[in-house]
Amino acid sequence: MSDSVSAKSTGASIRLGLKENWPQFALLVVINAFVGGMVGIERTVVPLIGSEEFHLSSTTLIVSFIVSFGVVKAFANLISGQLADTWGRKRVLVLGWLAGLPVPFMIIWAPSWEWVIAANALLGINQGLAWSMTVIMKIDLVGPKSRGLAVGLNEFAGYLAVGVTAFLTGYLAAQYGLRPVPIYLGVGYAVLGAALSILLVRDTRDHVRLEISGHAKQSAPISFREVFVLTSFRDRNLFAASQAGLVNNFNDGMSWGIFPLFFVSFGLGVERIGILKAIYPATWGILQIATGPLSDRWGRKGLIVTGMWVQAAGLFVTAATARFEWWIVGSLLLGLGTAMVYPSLIAAVSDASHPTWRARSLSVYRFWRDLGYAIGALSAGLIADSFGLSWAITSIAALTFLSGALVAIAMRETVKDSGAPIPLEKSP
């Protein structure tokens, strides 16, 4: 779990590895749990606030809060890597939390749906900057040999918090109503996350410099435009990862907005909806403890392909059935498939990126991935308004299966049997 390299910087020994950096690593795990909790406060109750409190009849209009979240988060991701390289990781993390502080208050006091949409634009900034920095900083700390483990632990904390919070908000909503009590959780998350980031987090750019010192030197600096083109289209591994990430969050955005409405249409109560909405991200989060390090040992590609297909199966099961028990099965499959995909994709992008532009490449990947929230929610809303909620779920299930097939064709494996990333044949 560690690299036997160290360097002197500002009078202190800088070393790569989980064991060598576990206090900061653990702190970042806790902070990312609060980042995930900020999304969790919305998974169960916000679509129902739109339909039941603001009496919105259009599914497309109800999911518009996810569109604002997804678009803003995608562009926040896009600039996060560049900001991290120029300003430092910690400053960007703190900026993300400052953007997130008003979000729960805006949802609690929202007099109209437009306030909820605006709150989710700020939430997009919070998630795009804060979540990006927690994962980038963990990768910085552990070095190249444990990227899958680092990402798995990061995403475990974030999405377990999403699931637990989705359950708690559903329970609180059943007891006290959709607002304000369930959203109080978000106030606590925002305050604690901001305080820990400001007071205790240390920047990790010295760890990047150490890794660069032992890495093959690039022939020339690479611009952000070149990184964008390389990550989006030119490199086959980075392209395969980017499109799979987009489709993965395509179906997550759909499930966020459509599933509560779909379950309500069968007469399911808000507390049981909260259970279903918790199972998916909780399964996703917990299993990443295993799937992250497994991607270091088994490789990224197989987990990504199989995970996309398992997600598709979960969506098909959900759309084709009308019983709570089968919806649990569908949620478990969706969580299992996403757990296989999520850390493997981030690790695959890290494998294919030089340390000097890895943060920017990850930001481009996360741009495409989280743009999927907006595209998925909007597409699902339009399909649901035209053909029904079941058709919206089924259509995105088919797209998810096709995305996995594209990874099977386009991606080359980036990990040897030993668990070490395969070196790139060349740098751009």
Side-chain angles (χ1 to χ4, degrees):
M1 290 186 185
S2 66
D3 298 338
S4 57
V5 286
S6 62
K8 294 289 181 179
S9 177
T10 62
S13 178
I14 302 297
R15 302 184 67 191
L16 301 181
L18 178 55
K19 182 173 68 175
E20 291 80 358
N21 296 287
W22 73 264
Q24 273 295 294
F25 192 98
L27 174 63
L28 290 166
V29 168
V30 172
I31 289 173
N32 203 51
F34 294 137
V35 180
M38 292 291 288
V39 177
I41 63 173
E42 302 204 339
R43 288 277 171 152
T44 301
V45 300
V46 171
L48 301 179
I49 289 173
S51 63
E52 297 183 13
E53 291 197 4
F54 293 111
H55 308 293
L56 302 177
S57 57
S58 167
T59 304
T60 305
L61 188 57
I62 291 174
V63 300
S64 59
F65 79 96
I66 304 173
V67 176
S68 69
F69 168 82
V71 170
V72 173
K73 185 183 179 189
F75 281 96
N77 284 332
L78 190 61
I79 66 171
S80 65
Q82 186 72 22
L83 293 177
D85 286 341
T86 55
W87 290 1
R89 275 69 160 145
K90 175 173 178 172
R91 290 179 180 176
V92 180
L93 176 64
V94 171
L95 180 61
W97 276 115
L98 294 179
L101 282 171
V103 170
F105 299 100
M106 293 177 69
I107 297 174
I108 289 171
W109 296 327
S112 67
W113 191 240
E114 287 74 18
W115 276 62
V116 177
I117 294 173
N120 274 269
L122 289 176
L123 183 63
I125 297 173
N126 165 255
Q127 298 290 300
L129 299 183
W131 200 309
S132 292
M133 289 308 101
T134 59
V135 71
I136 288 172
M137 293 172 85
K138 287 187 182 71
I139 290 171
D140 293 343
L141 290 170
V142 302
K145 290 185 179 179
S146 302
R147 287 171 182 153
L149 175 61
V151 174
L153 290 172
N154 187 79
E155 306 302 289
F156 153 75
Y159 285 100
L160 180 61
V162 172
V164 170
T165 306
F167 170 75
L168 291 174
T169 53
Y171 173 79
L172 293 172
Q175 303 297 316
Y176 304 104
L178 296 174
R179 291 191 295 175
V181 173
I183 314 300
Y184 288 156
L185 291 170
V187 177
Y189 294 150
V191 171
L192 289 171
L196 290 175
S197 299
I198 293 169
L199 298 175
L200 298 180
V201 168
R202 297 194 302 269
D203 206 284
T204 58
R205 282 190 292 180
D206 285 337
H207 294 80
V208 179
R209 296 186 186 104
L210 173 58
E211 185 180 346
I212 291 172
S213 69
H215 202 281
K217 187 176 181 180
Q218 286 204 161
S219 57
I222 178 171
S223 69
F224 181 75
R225 178 181 178 278
E226 291 172 308
V227 173
F228 184 90
V229 172
L230 188 73
T231 306
S232 302
F233 310 111
R234 187 176 296 169
D235 182 277
R236 61 189 298 165
N237 276 18
L238 294 174
F239 161 73
S242 294
Q243 68 81 28
L246 185 145
V247 174
N248 181 88
N249 278 17
F250 201 99
N251 64 50
D252 189 29
M254 178 278 299
S255 71
W256 184 351
I258 298 297
F259 275 13
L261 306 178
F262 179 72
F263 298 143
V264 160
S265 71
F266 288 91
L268 207 64
V270 65
E271 187 170 356
R272 298 190 94 188
I273 292 174
I275 293 172
L276 291 171
K277 292 295 292 179
I279 288 173
Y280 162 38
T283 303
W284 170 0
I286 292 169
L287 292 182
Q288 286 178 109
I289 297 177
T291 58
L294 281 178
S295 78
D296 290 329
R297 295 174 61 86
W298 293 355
R300 323 297 190 197
K301 180 177 177 178
L303 286 170
I304 295 169
V305 173
T306 307
M308 296 301 286
W309 290 346
V310 171
Q311 286 182 63
L315 293 173
F316 279 125
V317 167
T318 301
T321 57
R323 292 177 59 86
F324 181 72
E325 294 80 6
W326 280 108
W327 291 335
I328 290 177
V329 173
S331 296
L332 287 169
L333 287 172
L334 193 56
L336 169 62
T338 310
M340 297 168 75
V341 165
Y342 230 71
S344 303
L345 283 171
I346 297 176
V349 173
S350 299
D351 294 342
S353 306
H354 192 279
T356 57
W357 49 270
R358 184 175 60 218
R360 286 174 287 165
S361 184
L362 283 168
S363 73
V364 174
Y365 160 73
R366 290 171 64 86
F367 164 77
W368 288 116
R369 190 193 68 186
D370 290 332
L371 197 60
Y373 279 122
I375 300 173
L378 182 60
S379 300
L382 292 171
I383 295 170
D385 283 337
S386 300
F387 302 104
L389 295 167
S390 294
W391 274 104
I393 299 170
T394 302
S395 299
I396 292 178
L399 179 64
T400 304
F401 182 86
L402 291 175
S403 176
L406 183 56
V407 174
I409 295 168
M411 181 175 279
R412 293 173 177 151
E413 185 51 74
T414 61
V415 174
K416 298 177 182 179
D417 292 338
S418 65
I422 296 172
L424 290 179
E425 295 178 3
K426 59 182 179 178
S427 294

